Amino acid sequence: MDLGRVSRHGEAEWWVEPYGAMRVPAVLYASEPLMREMDEKVYEQACNVASLPGIVKASYAMPDAHWGYGFPIGGVAAFDEEEGVISAGGVGFDISCGVRLLETPLTREQVEPLKEALADALYHEVPVGMGSTGRVHLDDAQMDAMLAGGARWAVEQGFGTWGDLPRIEEGGCMAGARPEFVSRRARQRQADEMGTLGSGNHYLEVQHVAHVEDARLAEAYGLREGQVVVSIHCGSRGLGHQIGTEYLREMLLEAARQGLKLPERELACAPIRSEVGREYLGAMRAGINCALANRQIITHLVRQVFARVAGVSELGLLFDVSHNTCKREEHEVDGKRRGLFVHRKGATRAFGPGHPELPPGLREVGQPVLIGGSMGTASYVLAGTEESETRAFSSSAHGAGRSHSRHDALRHWRGRDVVESLARRGILIRSPSMRGVAEEAPGAYKDVVEVVDAAEVAGLSHKVARLEPLACIKG
């Protein structure tokens, strides 16, 4: 990236002061190497977001930011609840794509002899890949109940336990969902996709805690070195994509009716208080519930596999956090608490210690922040910080972030070579698509260590533990 207009404000903080149509600064959190490698489009998109009506304080980009649709992936922006706008491009197509972490009582030494059997059983039990379908079929009434109830609905159907819900954002159910604003086509796409991973960067990964960075917080989170854990990364599947596609069209029309000047079509938006804005909020919240229910069903399937293969079914849920959402939250701005609609696209909520929305056991230490690596590289558990509230509305990075497009990755890597290379390192890959593996090659992503270190230096989140993969089920 050309740093001509960018001024450095800290070791991992860079500002673009308002110019042209910008209403607020654009603030990018990254180390110098990450900044220099960052796509020029991230800078452009962050500045474009800073021009939208009702934006508050700044347009932010996280250390893993890369080019997205409208907003950069890794973008955070908050809008005044009365005068602001909502943008489907600021949420993303995979509504409530997120990560949850399950903790097992097993050690790496205990799991190594079972690794092949676990990988095969998980691949067989949890449907994966483009257009994959599961064993749960929803009729219209069940679809409405799921879209309104989220993970709570899933638990009522026998998937998981009531004890899981406090460890999920929103207690497992996003209030304000309006299933009636979810189209017939979106419902059709989701009817057979519950309990499935999907494709792209989604995964189910068996990992071990390779290193504890903060012993006090690791103990509070129930993590210890050598422990085996399971990460689940997926979202709202076809339903979320359909909602995003349809409402982007509606928002483009609404922006014209409202006389909003958009820096580009991909930033289509609508006033939060408009009819289109309210309808999208209702449909998007239903999409969040779909994703929460989906990850809850997969959790149940993972527990069944571990019970059958390893004789252990007690896999506790550390936390489930989404990274493609827009939520109404209260934040301090210029010394006053204000209601804001916070868009996080490829960015993770990171509430610090004492936040009232965190459950007992986590409120004292801060929210777990789950940053996934790329296939074959480390993932991290971090903790939200008090400082993050003033840095970026309590937000942090969500993953390594792409450094190569999928098309570019296909020119650099072959899927079979990636699988064999990881196998030599003791990491098993199960996937229905070698093309998909090539697109998701570890080298197609930024250095996750650099991203995590930048998030810590910037005060967005604090490192707790490093996780390394043993087996990965990939879309």
Side-chain angles (χ1 to χ4, degrees), residues 242-309:
Q242 192 68 29
I243 290 171
T245 300
E246 292 170 356
Y247 278 96
L248 275 166
R249 291 196 296 263
E250 291 295 322
M251 287 178 176
L252 197 59
L253 298 172
E254 182 66 13
R257 286 192 291 266
Q258 297 279 348
L260 301 180
K261 294 182 179 179
L262 303 177
E264 61 170 330
R265 288 170 56 90
E266 292 182 2
L267 277 177
C269 57
I272 292 167
R273 297 302 181 190
S274 68
E275 183 177 355
V276 170
R278 290 195 300 269
E279 288 185 3
Y280 173 70
L281 268 173
M284 184 267 298
R285 287 165 173 164
I288 290 175
N289 281 336
C290 176
L292 298 181
N294 192 34
R295 290 195 289 274
Q296 187 65 30
I297 294 171
I298 293 173
T299 295
H300 176 73
L301 299 177
V302 169
R303 286 169 173 160
Q304 286 187 322
V305 168
F306 269 78
R308 188 168 67 249
V309 176

Side-chain angles (χ1 to χ4, degrees), residues 34 37-40 42 64-68 73 200-201 374 400-413 435-447:
L34 287 173
E37 294 169 7
M38 200 173 282
D39 193 313
E40 197 79 34
V42 174
D64 56 336
H66 52 290
W67 182 18
I73 298 169
N201 64 349
S374 53
R402 294 196 75 93
S403 58
H404 293 262
S405 70
R406 297 185 188 283
H407 177 75
D408 194 37
L410 289 173
R411 294 194 294 110
H412 282 82
W413 293 280
R435 177 188 176 94
V437 170
E439 291 177 345
E440 293 296 310
Y445 283 80
K446 303 176 194 286
D447 180 354

Side-chain angles (χ1 to χ4, degrees), residues 352-392:
H355 198 285
E357 289 192 32
L358 295 177
L362 296 179
R363 190 174 302 155
E364 299 79 6
V365 292
Q367 176 204 305
V369 173
L370 308 176
I371 295 185
S374 53
M375 181 176 49
T377 66
S379 298
Y380 281 83
V381 179
L382 299 90
T385 65
E386 292 181 11
E387 188 180 0
S388 184
E389 164 65 21
T390 59
R391 308 295 279 165

Side-chain angles (χ1 to χ4, degrees), residues 114-129:
L114 306 173
K115 192 166 62 175
E116 289 268 3
L118 277 172
D120 290 341
L122 289 168
Y123 181 62
H124 178 266
E125 194 71 21
V126 181
V128 61

Side-chain angles (χ1 to χ4, degrees), residues 149-178:
R152 288 182 176 272
W153 168 86
V155 172
E156 288 171 354
Q157 307 309 305
F159 301 108
T161 71
W162 293 106
D164 293 333
L165 298 179
R167 293 302 183 101
I168 305 173
E169 279 188 302
E170 315 301 332
C173 178
M174 185 72 214
R178 299 289 297 275

Side-chain angles (χ1 to χ4, degrees), residues 3 51 99 262 320 337 419 440 472:
L3 302 183
S51 73
V99 181
L262 303 177
D320 179 304
R337 300 294 291 179
V419 170
E440 293 296 310
C472 182

